[in-house]
Amino acid sequence: MNISTQKLLEQLADGQYHSGESLGELLGISRAAIWKQLQALQTLGVNVQSVKGRGYCVEGGLDLLHRAEIEKGFNELIGDADSKLTKLIVENELDSTSQYLIKMSAQGEAIHGWVCFAEKQSAGRGRRGRVWQSPFASNLYFSIGWRIHSGVAAVEGLSLAVGVCLCEALEHFGFVDLQLKWPNDLLYKNKKLGGILLEISGDAAGECDLVLGVGLNVSMSEKAAEEIDQPWIDLFSIANEQARVLPSRDQLAAHLLHALFSMLRNFEAQGFAQWRDPWQKRNAHAGKEITLHMGAKAQAKRGMMLGVNNSGALLLNTEQGVEAFIGGEISLRSLD
Ligand code: BTN
């Protein structure tokens, strides 16, 4: 995105009408050039209204991400010993923030402590090959790069700990009743609020790069959500329901990063055990009869969800007794 388009975006973010003339003057470009830039914004998915005699406006405004604000918020929260945010990238559009960090790692960059946000992802990916809907300036899509020294086994349960961190960061703003679905979906009243994707590159038994991707629905339009194939919710609706102020996406980003960095710096040494209770406290399926779907052949196992063990494995009370599972997807038995 060129500088004029970015400036135009920032002007229109206030939700007010701006005449073509005033925008042209401000940006030092012709009205025809403004029109071209507006087309570029429409392509990103920004809905610019044009009213004769009044000018251009983005109805409702935009809550844009600001790199400097996120960094400032993060630095205010984090102690010196924690500060490992080595690079903060905020892009308007990427295919996928996780893919970006994986690419950087493959190119030989040391991505430890890198954080990458995008206002929009053109190929956002979810677990199990799903697409993660990522409309412009609506939600949060970000990835963190982290170096693991003693192989993937050392980060067993990490994705569950990430879920706890997301809940704790949101609870800081007063949100309540957030729940976790094993292994790592963030739910509210059984609707999906956020998702976590962990990807690892390098030597799975030794030094490797972890890319931790987080998608959090903040303010999703019905239109953008048309393609989502499961019940979903956004923080905007929860804020309305719980009479809370919706924090800015910059504020949310800073608090989420703070929670995640504080956890990540100790996780490899300390493991999942200390996160087990906080996870179980938020377990959406505790004591429920569930079906665990595993593998491509849709193998399924039924039983009562007991919780998780010290490695984050799901404990299921089946006809064969208590069994531990490290992979699969849960559904409620009554919904099968
Ligand atoms: C899930 O399916 O629940 C996981 C969703 C993870 C989505 C996030 S958005 C930021 C990062 N970049 C991606 O392409 N995916 C993750």
Side-chain angles (χ1 to χ4, degrees), residues 95-99 121 123-127 130 132 134 140-143 185 192 194-197 213-215:
D95 50 357
S96 148
T97 54
S98 290
Q99 184 53 35
Q121 296 184 118
R125 49 183 194 238
R127 291 175 64 234
R130 293 194 185 110
W132 190 257
S134 312
L140 283 176
Y141 324 112
F142 67 95
S143 300
D185 284 356
K192 189 151 168 172
I196 298 158
L197 183 69
V214 174

Side-chain angles (χ1 to χ4, degrees), residues 74-318:
F74 176 83
N75 287 335
E76 279 168 9
L77 292 165
I78 206 110
D80 272 352
D82 299 310
S83 36
K84 285 261 173 61
L85 201 168
T86 50
K87 188 166 183 161
L88 178 58
I89 300 149
V90 180
E91 292 285 339
N92 273 316
E93 183 172 8
L94 285 174
D95 50 357
S96 148
T97 54
S98 290
Q99 184 53 35
Y100 177 85
L101 290 185
I102 290 168
K103 196 171 74 195
M104 289 297 133
S105 165
Q107 287 173 6
E109 294 283 357
I111 60 163
H112 183 69
W114 284 32
V115 176
C116 175
F117 284 84
E119 291 283 17
K120 170 183 174 159
Q121 296 184 118
S122 54
R125 49 183 194 238
R127 291 175 64 234
R128 304 180 154 243
R130 293 194 185 110
V131 171
W132 190 257
Q133 295 302 327
S134 312
F136 187 80
S138 311
N139 306 313
L140 283 176
Y141 324 112
F142 67 95
S143 300
I144 301 176
W146 205 260
R147 189 74 173 161
I148 304 296
H149 303 285
S150 36
V152 287
V155 290
E156 255 180 359
L158 176 66
S159 68
L160 280 77
V162 171
V164 175
C165 291
L166 301 183
C167 287
E168 287 178 346
L170 297 176
E171 286 156 6
H172 161 86
F173 291 101
F175 295 108
V176 293
D177 298 333
L178 303 174
Q179 290 196 305
L180 293 165
K181 173 181 171 184
W182 188 87
N184 49 18
D185 284 356
L186 185 52
L187 301 185
Y188 179 72
K189 296 192 173 166
N190 289 319
K191 294 178 184 165
K192 189 151 168 172
L193 174 64
I196 298 158
L197 183 69
L198 253 61
E199 292 169 279
I200 298 208
S201 54
D203 175 8
E207 294 278 334
C208 49
D209 274 336
L210 171 83
V211 172
L212 155 58
V214 174
L216 179 75
N217 299 335
V218 180
S219 186
M220 177 91 94
S221 73
E222 289 290 336
K223 178 147 181 31
E226 269 168 10
E227 314 259 308
I228 303 179
D229 59 359
Q230 55 186 321
W232 63 273
I233 193 156
D234 59 12
L235 216 49
F236 174 82
S237 318
I238 302 176
N240 272 346
E241 194 181 312
Q242 299 188 353
R244 294 274 156 206
V245 175
L246 181 67
S248 71
R249 290 194 306 140
D250 287 340
Q251 284 175 310
L252 284 169
H255 279 263
L256 293 170
L257 289 179
H258 167 241
L260 291 169
F261 271 68
S262 308
M263 179 275 291
L264 282 166
R265 66 186 286 267
N266 294 319
F267 194 90
E268 198 174 351
Q270 297 176 353
F272 177 70
Q274 63 174 308
W275 295 94
R276 184 180 174 197
D277 282 350
W279 193 92
Q280 302 211 118
K281 213 174 86 183
R282 301 174 175 86
N283 179 2
H285 294 98
K288 298 208 169 117
E289 291 293 330
I290 59 162
T291 302
L292 179 67
H293 305 267
M294 294 165 289
K297 284 191 186 149
Q299 293 164 297
K301 197 90 191 179
R302 295 182 157 200
M304 185 200 275
M305 163 51 142
L306 296 177
V308 293
N309 67 14
N310 273 343
S311 314
L314 166 73
L315 295 175
L316 201 60
N317 195 9
T318 70

